[in-house]
Amino acid sequence: MKVVNLKQAILQAWKERWSDYQWAINIKRNFPKGATWDYLNLAEALLEQAMIGPSPNPLILSYLKYAISSQMVSYSSVLTAISKFDDFSRELCVKSLLEIMDMFSHRLSCHGKAEECIGLCRALLGVAVWLLQGCAYYSERLREHGEVAGEASLRACVDRLEGLLLSTKNRALIHIARLEEHASWANVEQAVIRVSDNLNSLANPTLRSKLEDCVALVKSIPVMLAVHSDPPQQTSFPSVHALIMLEGTMNLTGETQPLVEQLMMIKRMQQIPSPLFVLEIWKACFTGLIESPEGTEELKWTAFTFLKIPQVLLRLKKYPQGEKDFTEDVNIAFEYLLKLTPLLDKADQRCNCDCISLLLQECSKLGLLSEPNTANLIAKRAVDREHAPRLKTAENANIQPNPGLILRAEPTVTNILKTVDADHSKSPEGLLGVLGHMLSGKSLDLLLAAAAATGKLKSFARKFIKLNEFPKHISGEGSKPASVRALLFDISFLMLCHVVQTYGSEVILSDPSPSGETPFFETWLQTCMPEDGKILNPDHPCFRPEPGKVENLVALLNNSSEMKLVQMKWHEICLSTPAAILEVLNAWENGVLTVESVQQKITDNIKGKVCSMAICAVAWLVAHVRMLGLDEREKPQTMIRQLTTPLYGENTLQFYNERVVIMSSILEHMCADVFQQTGMVLRPPMEGVEPVPYRNLLATREPIRTALSRQFAAVLQRGWVDSQALHLFESLLHMGGVFWFTNNLVKELLKETRQERAKRAVELLYSIFCLDTPQITLTLLGHILPNLLTDSGHWHSLADPPGKALAKLSVWCALSSYSSHNKGQASARQRKRQREDIEDYNSLFPLDDTQPSKLMRLLSSNEDDPVILSSPGDRSMSSSLSASQLHTVNMRDPLNRVLANLFLLVSSILGSKTAGPHTQFVQSFMEECVECLEQGSRGSILQFMPFTMVAELVKLPALAKPKVVLAITDLSLPLGRRVAAKAIAAL
């Protein structure tokens, strides 16, 4: 069979005037079978021959039209051929090319291989450049010569360009081509500049506005994923409120950046407008201020509101805000806040000052508000305050307001850190004066709260640990230096114990000591100090020092009229105290010691000079009492009571009264649990003083499941979470464990069958889950969702609206965990809780593909064809290949494995032949993923989605949209672009 040159074949057909179908028959006869016409560039060869003269050759054009209609050539090859014609002065040729485009431009699609689809993307980009160049050419000619004929050609080009770009599908395909070929996109940008330059010279307003629209559409292509749906019409956002409540109540010492990022994540996911977002933060701060228990908690909230939140807003200001100015958003937020007069009046009453004006001044200092706006807002509030109810009592007039004190305490913290840093080995007395001043009244709590809110608490604690080590060094000393040394040890020890009880031991233990040797206080804290959730063994070797030292101490306590100070090694004394107390208890039990000698001499000696000894004694006694039966507890508890009662004698060391106040508070915290078990109290309750805040929140004899349901129902009814509820949820999370807690709260969510309530429940649950997002997310995505999705008995519970709500909650948790996890940000509070064993996830999702995982066995039990999914080893690699594998994400990480396996499960549900509420859930889950995504967020949770899933997703009507396909595929990868092009081209 002879093979002829394609160009000769076309010329022969023209010479012999073959009709189009004759031409098609003959050309197919003379060319080998199996050769594709695109491969031979048929469309380009036909156009080249048709466009030789000043006007197109109608016969050869009829051959091309026949080839298009009979699908001998692909749309992409025709578009590519058209875009190679560059002589726009031959208007008849251009006109006929545009007519050829009209044959198929309204139904551009491709159902072939991925390469062909990418070819269509490139062709569309090429033809867009060609049309833009045509528009530029004719508009330039119009400007220079004012030809009417040129206007007709310009209108023809503009109409085709508009028709091409109005289709979201075409824009999506061009978007893929832009990422595929950066050089071609540069041509687009140049053509757009040329068109824009000539826009103003167009006399025809209709034509000009059409061309402006086309230019805007071209410019919108790179950012087509950034456009979100309209934000929800609501004014309160419980997630923001609850996150602020959680941070203010439980995490004042937390770093600012993780909080800022979590807030930004909520703002993005829920599309909250900036002014309402800032307003919600302030509302939560004022609510926290009003409802915080008196004492330390109130100071913590004050520091959080007046010192930490302005810093948070300052960091939020650095995030891109689009067109808007963040200072204007802050101003609008304050305008809204001023309308909440009852809230502000109540806060002013509680703090005994004008809170708003103090806050406004702080924000103004940080550049968050302009001076005119600040003055205007202060004046507005002053007018409102004239009508506010005041507590004008004499004692109230003398109380200094906490916000003012906190703001003054902040610079003091820096000064104290400098003072303590100086060398005091020569004259430690000067330092003692500073420390004594810190102990008076509520100075210590104020300073600690200010240090915690500004991130200086760790260095504060580190300095006092260093100070606590200082008295170890003794050289021949008299009674004065000995008492100074004892006081330095005692005050620093008391302060550190107070810091640990108020802010958690992580403040001290999270940063190990820089020197090789572990300081005394760190050792004592880890082994001897009782804390929430930490049970000590009273027979631990740490409580059993050398017998000789213990005997000396017992003799000293029993024989001396008072404790001697000279040459005393206080660190050793503190470590020997528990063993000495055990000796004293045994002697008392066996009648060797009388009640009087124990109560009057020994306990007085322990607490008389150095309060640290009493703390060490009670710390051990608490551990000891826990091990005793109720009938054996009387004597140790009497001893605890005796040690907590201050000694009112003359011969005490300096600052005794101040030290005793702190000692009593420390001991009360230590003993609260033990005394509660026997229904006894350490001291009679004083009026108006809450003993230990947020304690005994759970009702006695009530199952924790009931307590959880009741508390969640109350929170849902009210619409926001208060600090008391957060503490209750935290204790339930400790008691029941992560799985129990998450599973039961998900059950509560699935009961909500009304859309509004289900939506509110999601916002509240997301914020409750912030108590331990990483662990709760692993449990939710790794255990609870797979159980619900693989057991057909549970499918009914996934129907909308609760199913859609659970999908939303799952995506929010996954995104939050994944973003903070990648930055390695676990809060101290979350680090403290027992980590779940990584092995749990290894057995659920094995690393190698040889052993079938639990998840795959679950899947196979649901499938019509169990062989396909019986184990990962049996599946073709391509069915589970995802972007994360190409980005080489560490799959030993539990969160990555859980996400990868959840998407495998979702993929298998989409591919299965059974539809139901679980398929609806999957659709909602994917819709929410798309809704919450940021533009170009490579490395989001969707990178774990198998590429094969895209083709399944576009079968669902709600997800069969070009933008959705662009959003769910990783367009930074060539394979991702091919998958997206194939899916979009087939829509």
Side-chain angles (χ1 to χ4, degrees):
M1 182 180 287
K2 62 174 183 164
V3 176
V4 290
N5 182 304
L6 195 56
K7 188 175 172 184
Q8 286 172 348
I10 295 166
L11 286 172
Q12 187 186 352
W14 173 68
K15 281 176 190 166
E16 297 177 16
R17 297 293 186 272
W18 290 347
S19 65
D20 48 16
Y21 66 91
Q22 271 180 314
W23 167 79
I25 291 166
N26 284 326
I27 205 159
K28 284 179 184 172
R29 189 182 294 145
N30 289 321
F31 277 83
K33 284 187 173 55
T36 63
W37 300 106
D38 280 359
Y39 180 70
L40 296 168
N41 281 343
L42 176 61
E44 197 176 320
L46 283 167
L47 270 181
E48 201 179 295
Q49 293 305 313
M51 300 290 158
I52 285 172
S55 64
N57 184 322
L59 185 62
I60 297 181
L61 276 188
S62 74
Y63 297 161
L64 178 60
K65 288 175 183 172
Y66 187 87
I68 293 169
S69 304
S70 60
Q71 295 186 350
M72 282 172 72
V73 289
S74 67
Y75 299 147
S76 56
S77 68
V78 178
L79 290 173
T80 308
I82 290 173
S83 60
K84 286 183 179 172
F85 181 80
D86 55 3
D87 188 357
F88 289 104
S89 61
R90 291 191 278 165
E91 290 179 35
L92 290 171
C93 291
V94 173
K95 186 182 172 199
S96 59
L97 289 176
L98 293 175
E99 284 166 1
I100 286 174
M101 269 181 69
D102 290 344
M103 290 176 66
F104 57 83
S105 60
H106 57 285
R107 53 186 165 85
L108 277 172
S109 61
C110 175
H111 296 274
K113 294 176 183 166
E115 279 306 324
E116 292 166 27
C117 299
I118 285 282
L120 179 60
C121 296
R122 289 184 174 130
L124 269 171
L125 179 59
V127 90
V129 173
W130 183 74
L131 285 168
L132 280 165
Q133 285 168 343
C135 292
Y137 175 83
Y138 292 120
S139 53
E140 278 168 7
R141 219 167 76 172
L142 259 177
R143 190 185 66 189
E144 288 162 14
H145 308 297
E147 297 172 20
V148 182
E151 188 171 310
S153 296
L154 177 59
R155 183 179 287 105
C157 282
V158 171
D159 286 346
R160 273 37 169 233
L161 185 60
E162 186 182 46
L164 190 76
L165 294 174
L166 279 175
S167 152
T168 313
K169 175 181 169 179
N170 292 347
R171 290 203 309 278
L173 292 170
I174 294 173
H175 180 63
I176 294 171
R178 179 183 77 86
L179 298 169
E180 195 76 14
E181 295 186 343
H182 295 291
S184 302
W185 187 252
N187 297 338
V188 172
E189 288 169 334
Q190 282 168 5
V192 165
I193 292 167
R194 271 181 67 195
V195 171
S196 304
D197 290 347
N198 296 304
L199 267 175
N200 294 331
S201 61
L202 290 181
N204 186 332
T206 320
L207 196 56
R208 186 166 68 234
S209 91
K210 257 191 173 184
L211 195 49
E212 279 172 351
D213 291 347
C214 289
V215 167
L217 281 169
V218 172
K219 287 179 175 172
S220 75
I221 290 172
V223 292
M224 64 186 299
L225 281 181
V227 184
H228 277 294
S229 54
D230 294 332
Q233 296 301 313
Q234 63 189 81
T235 51
S236 65
F237 300 92
S239 301
V240 179
H241 189 103
L243 179 64
I244 294 294
M245 293 302 281
L246 178 76
E247 290 289 317
T249 310
M250 299 182 180
N251 200 23
L252 179 62
T253 53
E255 288 173 30
T256 312
Q257 194 54 32
L259 169 60
V260 170
E261 282 174 11
Q262 206 165 0
L263 283 167
M264 278 307 290
M265 174 67 80
I266 296 177
K267 182 176 186 286
R268 262 197 310 267
M269 290 192 304
Q270 299 184 24
Q271 295 170 40
I272 307 174
S274 277
L276 293 178
F277 175 63
V278 177
L279 172 67
E280 199 64 55
I281 293 175
W282 288 130
K283 271 163 59 179
C285 287
F286 279 98
T287 314
L289 264 181
I290 292 165
E291 64 168 38
S292 57
E294 276 185 39
T296 315
E297 289 299 317
E298 188 183 348
L299 291 177
K300 282 162 110 178
W301 259 110
T302 312
F304 181 73
T305 305
F306 289 87
L307 295 177
K308 190 166 186 176
I309 290 295
Q311 289 296 330
V312 166
L313 291 182
L314 193 60
R315 293 202 189 191
L316 284 171
K317 184 182 175 183
K318 291 174 185 166
Y319 282 78
Q321 306 291 333
E323 304 293 306
K324 301 183 81 175
D325 177 18
F326 189 68
T327 50
E328 191 45 43
D329 290 332
V330 174
N331 181 40
I332 297 168
F334 273 118
E335 291 274 7
Y336 290 153
L337 187 62
L338 288 182
K339 291 175 183 165
L340 305 175
T341 316
L343 179 75
L344 301 183
D345 288 350
K346 194 109 167 90
D348 285 0
Q349 231 175 34
R350 175 78 199 264
C351 298
N352 193 26
C353 67
D354 182 355
C355 294
I356 274 282
S357 72
L358 282 173
L359 258 185
L360 291 168
Q361 285 160 19
E362 280 303 299
C363 290
S364 177
K365 279 180 207 165
L366 293 172
L368 290 165
L369 276 173
S370 65
E371 285 185 19
N373 284 344
T374 310
N376 172 36
L377 291 163
I378 290 176
K380 279 187 181 175
R381 178 62 188 150
V383 173
D384 276 354
R385 267 175 67 86
E386 286 171 16
H387 312 292
R390 297 269 172 83
L391 297 173
K392 289 188 175 162
T393 57
E395 62 183 82
N396 216 44
N398 300 328
I399 298 173
Q400 284 192 296
N402 284 335
L405 293 172
I406 280 285
L407 290 169
R408 286 207 297 281
E410 192 217 351
T412 314
V413 170
T414 318
N415 294 337
I416 287 175
L417 289 175
K418 282 180 190 164
T419 309
V420 177
D421 246 357
D423 181 17
H424 296 286
S425 50
K426 305 278 189 300
S427 58
E429 295 83 358
L431 180 60
L432 208 50
V434 175
L435 297 183
H437 182 65
M438 281 174 70
L439 294 180
S440 60
K442 53 182 179 184
S443 294
L444 181 60
D445 281 330
L446 274 166
L447 291 167
L448 292 180
T454 50
K456 294 181 185 138
L457 189 61
K458 280 187 182 177
S459 56
F460 207 83
R462 186 67 43 224
K463 299 274 186 291
F464 280 93
I465 285 179
K466 200 172 158 191
L467 190 63
N468 188 253
E469 292 289 288
F470 175 67
K472 272 186 181 174
H473 315 294
I474 314 170
S475 51
E477 61 177 1
S479 59
K480 180 106 192 290
S483 64
V484 170
R485 202 169 51 81
L487 278 170
L488 283 178
F489 175 81
D490 199 36
I491 293 174
S492 55
F493 189 90
L494 286 168
M495 283 182 178
L496 288 166
C497 285
H498 187 61
V499 167
V500 168
Q501 286 191 337
T502 316
Y503 297 100
S505 52
E506 299 75 31
V507 173
I508 287 166
L509 300 178
S510 58
D511 288 343
S513 181
S515 61
E517 190 186 345
T518 309
F520 159 73
F521 186 81
E522 276 183 42
T523 314
W524 183 83
L525 169 62
Q526 285 171 298
T527 49
C528 310
M529 183 167 173
E531 279 186 281
D532 278 347
K534 177 168 132 190
I535 305 296
L536 300 172
N537 170 13
D539 299 325
H540 190 277
C542 71
F543 293 120
R544 299 278 173 275
E546 297 165 31
K549 290 179 181 172
V550 176
E551 282 169 24
N552 291 344
L553 181 59
V554 173
L556 194 65
L557 294 174
N558 194 24
N559 302 331
S560 312
S561 56
E562 63 174 60
M563 204 62 189
K564 73 180 184 101
L565 302 173
V566 180
Q567 298 291 328
M568 290 295 267
K569 295 186 175 176
W570 293 111
H571 304 80
E572 289 180 9
I573 296 281
C574 281
L575 289 173
S576 309
T577 302
I581 292 288
L582 178 61
E583 294 291 325
V584 170
L585 266 180
N586 287 340
W588 187 12
E589 296 274 358
N590 296 318
V592 177
L593 286 174
T594 60
V595 178
E596 288 74 24
S597 63
V598 170
Q599 290 193 358
Q600 284 168 15
K601 189 189 285 181
I602 294 177
T603 53
D604 283 3
N605 272 333
I606 291 175
K607 67 188 177 189
K609 298 272 189 194
V610 179
C611 297
S612 321
M613 281 179 73
I615 291 173
C616 296
V618 172
W620 178 81
L621 280 167
V622 165
H624 179 64
V625 168
R626 278 183 192 280
M627 303 297 166
L628 301 178
L630 288 181
D631 52 338
E632 300 169 300
R633 291 185 172 190
E634 188 191 343
K635 284 180 177 162
Q637 285 190 341
T638 308
M639 207 160 176
I640 290 176
R641 261 210 204 83
Q642 200 62 34
L643 285 167
T644 49
T645 314
L647 186 67
Y648 295 108
E650 294 298 311
N651 197 7
T652 53
L653 279 176
Q654 208 178 349
F655 307 121
Y656 185 70
N657 293 344
E658 290 88 347
R659 285 183 291 132
V660 160
V661 171
I662 297 176
M663 177 188 85
S664 302
S665 136
I666 293 168
L667 296 183
E668 194 176 330
H669 273 81
M670 274 185 185
C671 308
D673 279 351
V674 170
F675 274 80
Q676 185 193 338
Q677 289 169 0
T678 49
M680 295 166 73
V681 286
L682 195 56
R683 58 176 171 73
M686 286 152 64
E687 197 177 327
V689 177
E690 193 178 334
V692 180
Y694 305 124
R695 256 205 144 73
N696 314 333
L697 293 173
L698 284 170
T700 46
R701 302 186 184 283
E702 181 183 42
I704 55 173
R705 173 80 179 84
T706 318
L708 185 68
S709 299
R710 189 168 45 74
Q711 184 60 58
F712 183 67
V715 161
L716 187 57
Q717 191 60 43
R718 195 170 50 221
W720 51 281
V721 188
D722 62 0
S723 48
Q724 187 118 341
L726 282 168
H727 276 274
L728 185 75
F729 282 127
E730 168 132 284
S731 47
L732 287 167
L733 174 58
H734 273 305
M735 281 185 195
V738 178
F739 179 80
W740 174 88
F741 184 77
T742 315
N743 194 31
N744 283 313
L745 282 175
V746 167
K747 282 179 186 170
E748 293 298 319
L749 172 63
L750 293 176
K751 286 179 193 169
E752 295 304 330
T753 50
R754 285 174 54 201
Q755 198 167 351
E756 269 308 302
R757 275 177 70 87
K759 184 173 177 301
R760 190 194 297 172
V762 168
E763 295 191 359
L764 292 167
L765 277 177
Y766 172 75
S767 49
I768 292 166
F769 285 176
C770 287
L771 284 167
D772 194 351
T773 311
Q775 288 295 299
I776 287 176
T777 303
L778 284 177
T779 306
L780 178 64
L781 306 182
H783 295 287
I784 294 166
L785 283 189
N787 286 346
L788 289 170
L789 290 170
T790 51
D791 182 354
S792 52
H794 288 140
W795 287 351
H796 67 278
S797 64
L798 292 174
D800 281 354
K804 195 178 182 75
L806 178 59
K808 190 184 274 287
L809 178 65
S810 308
V811 172
W812 286 4
C813 287
L815 284 172
S816 301
S817 273
Y818 191 75
S819 75
S820 61
H821 177 74
N822 274 4
K823 298 180 178 81
Q825 293 164 348
S827 78
R829 208 184 56 259
Q830 292 165 354
R831 282 196 294 268
K832 184 173 64 176
R833 189 167 301 108
Q834 190 57 46
R835 301 294 82 194
E836 241 178 73
D837 193 353
I838 196 166
E839 293 306 319
D840 294 355
Y841 294 96
N842 284 355
S843 66
L844 190 62
F845 317 124
L847 266 172
D848 57 332
D849 276 358
T850 51
Q851 51 186 116
S853 67
K854 279 188 204 168
L855 185 69
M856 284 304 153
R857 290 201 295 277
L858 282 170
L859 296 184
S860 60
S861 64
N862 265 346
E863 284 296 324
D864 305 326
D865 183 5
V867 182
I868 300 171
L869 285 159
S870 59
S871 85
D874 298 337
R875 297 194 316 276
S876 65
M877 182 55 195
S878 61
S879 72
S880 63
L881 180 66
S882 67
S884 62
Q885 285 156 290
L886 299 178
H887 288 311
T888 58
V889 168
N890 172 20
M891 292 311 283
R892 284 187 179 276
D893 182 274
L895 182 63
N896 293 346
R897 312 174 70 107
V898 164
L899 285 166
N901 282 277
L902 180 65
F903 277 107
L904 273 182
L905 171 56
V906 164
S907 180
S908 82
I909 288 170
L910 285 171
S912 74
K913 299 177 180 69
T914 321
H918 62 307
T919 5
Q920 179 63 44
F921 173 85
V922 165
Q923 180 175 321
S924 303
F925 183 85
M926 293 309 299
E927 282 176 352
E928 194 57 40
C929 282
V930 173
E931 196 65 33
C932 294
L933 276 182
E934 303 162 64
Q935 158 91 34
S937 58
R938 172 199 147 169
S940 86
I941 59 169
L942 281 176
Q943 66 176 323
F944 296 99
M945 181 183 79
F947 286 120
T948 49
M949 200 168 125
V950 178
E952 298 293 339
L953 282 172
V954 292
K955 292 175 187 171
L956 299 171
L959 295 171
K961 296 171 188 160
K963 278 191 182 179
V964 170
V965 177
L966 289 181
I968 60 180
T969 42
D970 188 339
L971 298 175
S972 65
L973 293 170
L975 182 57
R977 293 196 287 271
R978 275 153 186 65
V979 168
K982 191 169 167 33
I984 295 171
L987 288 175

